[in-house]
Amino acid sequence: LFVAMAVENNDNQIRLYSKGIFLGYRRSLRGQMTHTSLVKIEGLNDRKDTPFYFGKRVAYVYRAANPKLGKTRVIWGRITKSHGN
């Protein structure tokens, strides 16, 4: 997973990204909500640092077996809120 960020410079726009790990789906005791994923962003250990990432785009990049549609595929998402402590 990659978290896309854009930082404006005087001349041009620089693209930055942070790696993340897909932890699983948001869940209750007996069921899981597959429309919401939990992501651990690399280097983010404190909850008060999370508002910077709200609204940022997330890309899940994976390799696919069928080369007709391309060898790599991407699922896009967005960070909406923090979870846990």
Side-chain angles (χ1 to χ4, degrees):
L1 284 166
F2 296 102
V3 179
M5 296 176 278
V7 176
E8 291 190 28
N9 200 353
N10 294 337
D11 302 336
N12 55 0
Q13 198 174 25
I14 302 170
R15 292 182 181 238
L16 302 174
Y17 67 91
S18 297
K19 290 187 177 184
I21 299 171
F22 172 75
L23 299 176
Y25 295 113
R26 187 177 66 128
R27 58 176 297 132
S28 63
L29 184 64
R30 292 179 186 87
Q32 61 185 13
M33 290 67 161
T34 55
H35 57 81
T36 306
S37 300
L38 300 176
V39 177
K40 171 70 176 144
I41 299 173
E42 186 179 80
L44 185 63
N45 297 320
D46 198 1
R47 189 173 181 136
K48 58 186 174 182
D49 296 334
T50 57
F52 172 77
Y53 291 94
F54 294 163
K56 299 290 191 289
R57 304 265 317 209
V58 176
Y60 178 69
V61 181
Y62 63 99
R63 292 182 188 206
N66 188 356
K68 286 184 182 178
L69 301 174
K71 290 191 176 186
T72 58
R73 307 222 179 117
V74 180
I75 299 174
W76 289 95
R78 195 170 292 275
I79 295 180
T80 57
K81 65 181 195 173
S82 58
H83 175 78
N85 292 343

